[in-house]
Amino acid sequence: MIRFVPIADPPRGRVAWVTLGALVFALVVAGLIFLAAGTNPFEAYAAMLQGTVSDWSGWSEVLRRGTPLLLIGIGLTLAFRAQFFNIGAEGQLLLGAIAAGGIALFTPLPPLVMLPAMFVGGALAGGLWALIAAFLKTRLRVNEILTTLMLNYVATYLLIYLINGPWKGQKVRGFIYTDDFPVFAQLPTLPGTQVGWPTLLLGVLLAVALQWFLGRSTGGFELRVAGENPGAARYAGISVSRVLFRMAMITGGAAGLAGVGEVAGIHHKLLEPSQISSGYGFTAVIVAWLARGNPLLCLITAPLMGVILAGGDVLKINLNLPFRITDVFSGVILMSLIASEVFVKNRVKFGK
């Protein structure tokens, strides 16, 4: 007979090895999927590593994919710590992109303040978009998983409407996108890459700052207490609603910053939603989950998922695997991590 005995306070070592075991299990399952598709799993993994971490070209692609994952992931770590399950980072990213595009295309700001204004506007737009779900949760008890997920579709169709209608480029024929941003509204990149170094630097600084906020500030203490025990937080005089509103602005704002980085650093215009974001808002859930509520650990988990996303492109091209193989890979990892929570919080006992 198998029994699960709850562990009141799982040690960090247990969390680490269970998470590592979940990743190994995910790799095995993904390997079986590769095998079913007629590809040697070892050959597939070797191709992924060779195409991503063996030279600077591969690393630059990992950084390009990992930068938005880093920004979104560090925001989601706070959301999950506060028990606010934000599945709407994809929409918040798009709102940040829309705000940045509107500022770049339609405001007569001087060149020196254009990029800072785009980042501030993108962060505010993403934060306010997340604030809608936080308001509905605290005031009407509406499940935030549903609201954030549905708001993704609202953001998607809002962007499609804008680039098809009032914001469509003046000289565009047969395609849907806006005019190019002015040169002074485009982010500088690392030489020979599409990696916007200001966005990458911003992600690193934000990870450090939010780790300090979570562990050293009064606001971080309130967030931890409100997430672990809302009843105790209210008894201690902590406003759970205020904590959730603050957290929503941070997590949505970080996703909005990622949207600014994508349109200002890579595309230099507003495009269809699937071209701006390759599902970064959903993949970043894995980044945050692997980080176990620690924003600083996203500096490791975001590049890890960047390797998987960039490696997925290698598999599609070099081994002719299906287009959605990366989504399958990410889904297996996420399901393995969710299932492993049982073993984090419980000890397995055999016998009567």
Side-chain angles (χ1 to χ4, degrees):
M1 181 180 179
I2 300 176
R3 293 180 296 124
F4 290 98
V5 180
I7 302 174
D9 186 18
R12 291 185 179 181
R14 182 180 184 86
V15 174
W17 72 256
V18 170
T19 302
L20 182 61
L23 287 176
V24 171
F25 177 78
L27 291 175
V28 172
V29 173
L32 294 176
I33 295 173
F34 291 144
L35 197 60
T39 300
N40 186 318
F42 298 102
E43 181 183 355
Y45 289 134
M48 286 181 66
L49 293 176
Q50 185 177 2
T52 54
V53 299
S54 63
D55 56 26
W56 171 239
S57 175
W59 272 112
S60 67
E61 187 64 16
V62 170
L63 289 176
R64 183 180 76 83
R65 298 300 194 92
T67 299
L69 293 177
L70 172 62
L71 281 165
I72 301 171
I74 57 182
L76 290 180
T77 56
L78 296 190
F80 295 162
R81 286 291 289 265
Q83 297 299 305
F84 182 82
F85 297 102
N86 178 18
I87 314 298
E90 190 80 2
Q92 293 145 26
L93 180 152
L94 294 179
L95 257 292
I98 290 172
I103 293 171
L105 293 170
F106 305 113
T107 59
L109 293 175
L112 287 178
V113 300
M114 177 61 79
L115 282 172
M118 290 169 66
F119 275 110
V120 171
L124 286 174
L128 292 173
W129 201 247
L131 199 62
I132 297 173
F135 177 83
L136 292 174
K137 176 183 175 71
T138 56
R139 296 293 185 264
L140 303 177
R141 300 184 182 278
V142 180
N143 188 295
E144 73 275 13
I145 295 177
L146 296 177
T147 52
T148 53
L149 188 61
M150 292 299 102
L151 284 171
N152 287 336
Y153 295 100
V154 178
T156 295
Y157 287 109
L158 174 61
L159 176 56
I160 291 174
Y161 162 72
L162 290 173
I163 63 176
N164 268 288
W167 290 9
K168 187 175 181 179
Q170 297 298 315
K171 299 180 181 179
V172 174
R173 297 292 183 271
F175 300 94
I176 52 171
Y177 49 78
T178 65
D179 292 323
D180 286 346
F181 295 172
V183 175
F184 54 82
Q186 300 176 14
L187 285 173
T189 58
L190 295 177
T193 74
Q194 289 186 315
V195 181
W197 65 261
T199 315
L200 178 60
L201 178 62
L202 183 61
V204 174
L205 294 176
L206 198 57
V208 175
L210 289 183
Q211 186 69 43
W212 176 88
F213 168 80
L214 191 63
R216 300 288 182 178
S217 70
T218 303
F221 171 75
E222 291 177 347
L223 186 149
R224 297 198 312 272
V225 174
E228 294 171 6
N229 194 327
R234 294 188 184 94
Y235 185 79
I238 297 173
S239 172
V240 176
S241 297
R242 186 180 63 192
V243 169
L244 286 178
F245 291 158
R246 182 193 304 143
M247 176 278 311
M249 287 299 298
I250 293 174
T251 184
L257 291 174
V260 178
E262 290 302 293
V263 295
I266 298 175
H267 306 293
H268 305 148
K269 62 171 73 75
L270 289 180
L271 306 147
E272 292 190 74
S274 60
Q275 294 178 281
I276 294 176
S277 173
S278 303
Y280 291 135
F282 299 110
T283 306
V285 172
I286 304 176
V287 171
W289 205 292
L290 283 171
R292 296 290 179 179
N294 297 288
L296 202 59
L297 287 182
C298 290
L299 294 174
I300 298 173
T301 60
L304 174 63
M305 290 308 300
V307 168
I308 292 175
L309 292 183
D313 292 338
V314 174
L315 294 180
K316 298 169 195 174
I317 297 171
N318 292 1
L319 301 181
N320 199 29
L321 285 172
F323 178 76
R324 291 295 182 183
I325 191 66
T326 306
D327 297 334
V328 173
F329 209 152
S330 300
V332 170
I333 292 175
L334 182 58
M335 292 302 296
S336 300
L337 290 172
I338 293 173
S340 71
E341 286 296 301
V342 176
F343 301 99
V344 171
K345 298 177 180 179
N346 296 275
R347 185 178 290 108
V348 180
K349 292 285 187 179
F350 297 92
K352 296 183 180 179

